[in-house]
């Protein structure tokens, strides 16, 4: 695995980063077996817009991301998706939503006015020709940037039996692209990637991963704390359960929660 040398510029009192995510729901209307967000295995959850606003305000006081991304699960399932977008818009250089497109036909013109960019994952078993025609028309009308990703395969990202070899875990962390591109705020904390909060939810307190993040606060020390965290060389605890995005690729399949649990022999 090739080590990634990360450098983060600080100017005007903020650390410049590529993106900052908020997973406004954990659940999804699809059941992708190797979902990196563990959506088929997580309970239904909707982030309150006021909680999201607080987390983003604290984070963006010391971070300057090129993109703020509303993600899931499937974010369009959020009943207050427009309010979530309204909250994020003033803090975003570019406001993006990542979606499977199934619900895009239901979105109002205000949705298209608020978003700057859409990342759309296209899965092989779905027939979305009509939906995508609608999407292309709306994107052109509202000047929304489209990033269309065909998802015929998924990377097997999760080690359900934690890796005990410290050198292997360190190598995974050193080469991991997620820690550069998938920063997230979740329930009052900032994380290098999406895995710790999703693992924390999945294990429901039986295994804790909150220590893998930095608590958000309004003290002057937050800039230093997050910079030290971004440039750390020590793996997160959750790295022992993750391939870092370099795992084996597998054909995309959908399974029920019980099928996934049985397949993975999860307790």
């Amino acid at each position: 695995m090739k080590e990634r040398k990360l450098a983060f510029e600080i100017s005007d009192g903020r650390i410049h980063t590529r993106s900052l995510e908020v997973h406004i729901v954990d659940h999804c209307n699809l059941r992708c077996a190797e979902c990196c967000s563990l959506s088929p295995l997580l309970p239904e959850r909707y982030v309150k817009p006021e909680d999201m606003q607080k987390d983003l305000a604290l984070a963006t006081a010391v971070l300057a991301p090129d993109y703020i991304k509303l993600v899931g699960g499937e974010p369009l399932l959020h009943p207050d998706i427009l309010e979530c977008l309204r909250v994020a818009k003033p803090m975003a250089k570019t406001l993006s939503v990542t979606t499977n497109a199934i619900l895009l036909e239901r979105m109002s013109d205000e949705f298209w006015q608020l978003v700057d960019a859409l990342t759309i994952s296209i899965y092989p078993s779905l027939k979305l020709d009509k939906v995508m025609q609608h999407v292309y028309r709306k994107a052109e009308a509202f000047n929304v940037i489209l990033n269309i990703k065909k998802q015929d395969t998924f990377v097997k990202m999760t080690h359900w039996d934690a890796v005990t070899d410290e050198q292997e875990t360190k190598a995974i962390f050193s080469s991991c692209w997620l820690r550069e591109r998938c920063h997230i705020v979740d329930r009052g904390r900032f994380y290098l990637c999406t895995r710790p909060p999703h693992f924390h939810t999945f294990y429901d307190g039986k295994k804790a991963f909150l220590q893998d993040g930095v608590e958000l606060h309004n003290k002057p020390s937050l800039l230093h704390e997050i910079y030290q965290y971004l440039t750390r060389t020590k793996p997160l605890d959750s790295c022992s359960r993750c391939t870092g995005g370099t795992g084996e690729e597998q054909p995309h399949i959908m399974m029920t929660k019980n099928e996934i649990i049985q397949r993975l022999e999860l307790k």
Side-chain angles (χ1 to χ4, degrees), residues 59 70 118 142 158:
L70 302 193
L118 284 176
F142 290 93
T158 303

Side-chain angles (χ1 to χ4, degrees), residues 35-184:
C35 175
C36 65
S37 296
L38 306 181
S39 289
L41 299 170
L42 299 187
E44 183 175 302
R45 180 176 80 99
Y46 303 97
V47 169
K48 294 180 180 178
E50 57 269 29
D51 292 339
M52 184 184 79
Q53 183 175 36
K54 180 180 178 182
D55 284 353
L56 282 176
L58 289 170
T60 57
V62 297
L63 293 168
D66 291 333
Y67 296 86
I68 288 179
K69 300 180 179 181
L70 302 193
V71 191
E74 174 47 55
L76 302 191
L77 290 171
H78 199 298
D80 292 325
I81 178 66
L82 291 180
E83 184 59 22
C84 290
L85 290 167
R86 294 184 198 114
V87 161
K89 185 72 171 180
M91 293 179 269
K93 181 178 177 181
T94 301
L95 181 57
S96 176
V97 171
T98 300
T99 175
N100 59 34
I102 293 172
L103 300 176
L104 276 174
E105 282 188 299
R106 302 183 188 180
M107 296 298 106
S108 67
D109 281 355
E110 185 182 1
F111 171 89
W112 292 95
Q113 289 167 346
L114 287 166
V115 297
D116 300 307
L118 284 176
T119 293
I120 299 176
S121 299
I122 303 293
Y123 300 103
S125 58
L126 299 181
K127 304 297 183 184
L128 293 173
D129 291 348
K130 181 173 174 288
V131 172
M132 291 308 297
Q133 289 173 15
H134 171 82
V135 168
Y136 288 126
R137 288 196 301 269
K138 288 292 188 181
E140 183 177 8
F142 290 93
N143 197 30
V144 173
I145 300 166
L146 294 180
N147 177 25
I148 311 296
K149 298 169 62 178
K150 287 191 68 176
Q151 297 283 173
D152 295 334
T153 62
F154 264 37
V155 173
K156 185 175 176 59
M157 290 185 64
T158 303
H159 291 303
W160 291 106
D161 294 319
V163 173
T164 56
D165 186 324
E166 291 184 7
Q167 291 305 312
E168 181 179 347
T169 302
K170 187 173 182 179
I172 287 170
F173 179 78
S174 296
S175 64
C176 181
W177 57 266
L178 278 78
R179 64 191 177 102
E180 181 181 11
R181 299 169 63 93
C182 297
H183 304 157
I184 179 176

Side-chain angles (χ1 to χ4, degrees), residues 223-243:
L223 175 68
H224 176 73
E225 291 170 26
I226 288 186
Y227 183 79
Q228 292 297 111
Y229 174 69
L230 286 170
T231 56
R232 65 186 280 161
T233 57
K234 181 182 178 182
L236 306 176
D237 285 353
S238 50
C239 294
S240 66
R241 297 178 181 274
C242 185
T243 68

Side-chain angles (χ1 to χ4, degrees), residues 182-198:
C182 297
H183 304 157
I184 179 176
V185 289
D186 184 86
R187 286 168 277 200
R189 303 184 84 82
F190 171 79
Y191 296 92
L192 274 178
C193 73
T194 63
R195 311 308 324 269
H198 293 317

